[in-house]
Structure formats: structure tokens, C-alpha cells
Amino acid sequence: MNQDQLPAAPAPDATVFPFGKQRNRTTLRGGIWALLLAVALPLACVAYEYGVGAWIFAVLWFLAFGAVGAGSIWSGWVDRHAFLAFDATGVWWLRDRQERVNGVIPWASLDAAGLIRCPQRPEPQGQTRKTGPKEKGTASRPGPRLMSLELFPTGGVDAHDPVLAPLIARDQDPSRPPHLPERRYRIGVPVFATRHYGSAVVAAARDHAGSRWIGEHERPAGHLRVQDLIS
């Protein structure tokens, strides 16, 4: 199905995860605190009439914390519209932040859909991860983890589609049903979305995928990379 023939945005009843808005609020708070710290020392120098040495340190302090604060606010503002959504059409994300253009992979174009989780870093040797009753299935587990939706298109991937080509992944996956090709589309769920929405993202994907869902699978650290994430 051609991208031009699809809707321009998710349906009104779509399940939307606006992780960009939440991340913007978080970075805004952190940025404001950093800016307040940046001006605190120069103001103290003015109030208490400190000498040249203190002023040099105050300027360096202001530049360091000012850069951190401004950078945090800017990064959150740029990504404020980022989202992940699921509706009857397919899986949606913001693919062009400047033009506010959405990308979508339709369910009708897929043979199967599943999910992969893996830690960002290897666990220390000799330590095992404890899993309680509430951590089974789709529940989030301790420690930083990466998560991706694995989408297997009918007839194979389209390497010439400018929207979908960057999402093509190919690696050995023992959980892949034998009738499915190795090459598929991979939508890496942003860490911030995983942290805040966790199992809700997985539940929405599973519910909308219906009979196409092939389950969730754990992989070792390194299987997914931060650059695989959509934001």
C-alpha cells in the first residue's frame, strides 16, 4: 500500500503515546533549574562584591550551567511533538519533526508483528535478574531496557520507500517463525516512552495487531541499539 494513499494522521480513537510532550516537560524543569543555578553565583558576586578571582569562576560557572540548561530546554522543545500511536490503520510515529509529517506501517501490509526487549548494558556476571509475579508478560522489569516492534510485511520490505527503508532490519532471530523472512521493519520504542508507558505500549500493539501478533521475546544486550529508536 502506497504511503500517499493512507490517512495523514492517526484516527481520533487511536491509542496515542505522546512521549515528546512528557519528555519536554521533564527537560524543561531540569533546564530551568540549571539556568537558576547558572545565575546564582554571578548574583552572589554582585551582592557580596567578590573579587576578580570569584568573578572568573562565576563566569565559568554561568557558561557551564547555562549551556546545560539551554541545551536541555532546546532538545525537549524540538521533540515535543514526537509520539507513537496505534489505530485500525497501523503503527504511527512522527517521522519528520520539521514538517510535522507522520509515518505509518499499515496492519494490512503485514504478515506478523512481535516485540523484542533487551538491556542497554550487559548485566554484571554472576548476577541474575529477579522476576516477580508483576514483572511477567508485558510488565516492565528493573534496569534500563530497549524495546522494538518487529513488523514483517507481506511480500517483503520495500528498500526504495523513503519512509520505510530506514526501518529495515536484518539479523538472526530464533523466535521468528520459519515462514517469515529475516528482513523486516523495526520500530524502536524510545526509552522515554518505554519508561513512562511500559506495558501499555505493548498491550496497544498486541491488541491492534490481533492474529498477527507472534509474542514478546528477550534478547541479550547489544541486539538493539539506541540508534534503532525512532526518537
Side-chain angles (χ1 to χ4, degrees), residues 137-228:
T138 61
S140 59
R141 298 175 180 174
R145 302 179 73 73
L146 300 178
M147 193 165 75
S148 73
L149 294 169
E150 308 288 307
L151 307 173
F152 297 85
T154 303
V157 298
D158 185 354
H160 302 291
D161 189 314
V163 177
L164 302 180
L167 302 176
I168 294 175
R170 180 177 182 176
D171 47 45
Q172 295 296 324
D173 188 348
S175 67
R176 173 178 55 85
H179 70 282
L180 296 176
E182 286 187 359
R183 299 181 77 192
R184 68 272 194 192
Y185 298 127
R186 169 173 290 162
I187 296 184
V189 181
V191 175
F192 199 87
T194 303
R195 185 183 302 125
H196 281 264
Y197 301 110
S199 58
V201 173
V202 185
R206 183 185 61 231
D207 292 346
H208 284 85
S211 60
R212 298 178 180 86
W213 191 250
I214 57 174
E216 304 168 44
H217 307 278
E218 293 284 338
R219 294 290 173 266
H223 187 85
L224 299 176
R225 305 163 301 167
V226 174
Q227 52 264 43
D228 292 326

Side-chain angles (χ1 to χ4, degrees), residues 41-65:
L41 193 55
L43 289 177
C45 288
V46 172
Y48 295 101
E49 299 181 353
Y50 290 146
V52 175
W55 268 105
I56 294 175
F57 181 76
V59 169
L60 296 175
W61 173 282
F62 174 80
L63 293 175
F65 279 94

Side-chain angles (χ1 to χ4, degrees), residues 19 23 79 82-83 94 97 188-192 226 228-231:
F19 61 88
R23 183 163 56 195
D79 282 340
F83 73 97
L94 183 67
R97 292 173 183 79
V189 181
V191 175
F192 199 87
V226 174
D228 292 326
L229 308 181
I230 59 173
S231 177

Side-chain angles (χ1 to χ4, degrees), residues 119 123 129-132 135 139-145:
E123 295 179 359
R129 184 182 298 279
K130 296 182 179 179
T131 304
E135 294 176 331
S140 59
R141 298 175 180 174
R145 302 179 73 73

Side-chain angles (χ1 to χ4, degrees), residues 115-126:
L115 182 125
I116 284 178
R117 302 176 191 267
C118 78
Q120 287 182 274
R121 298 181 296 274
E123 295 179 359
Q125 292 184 354

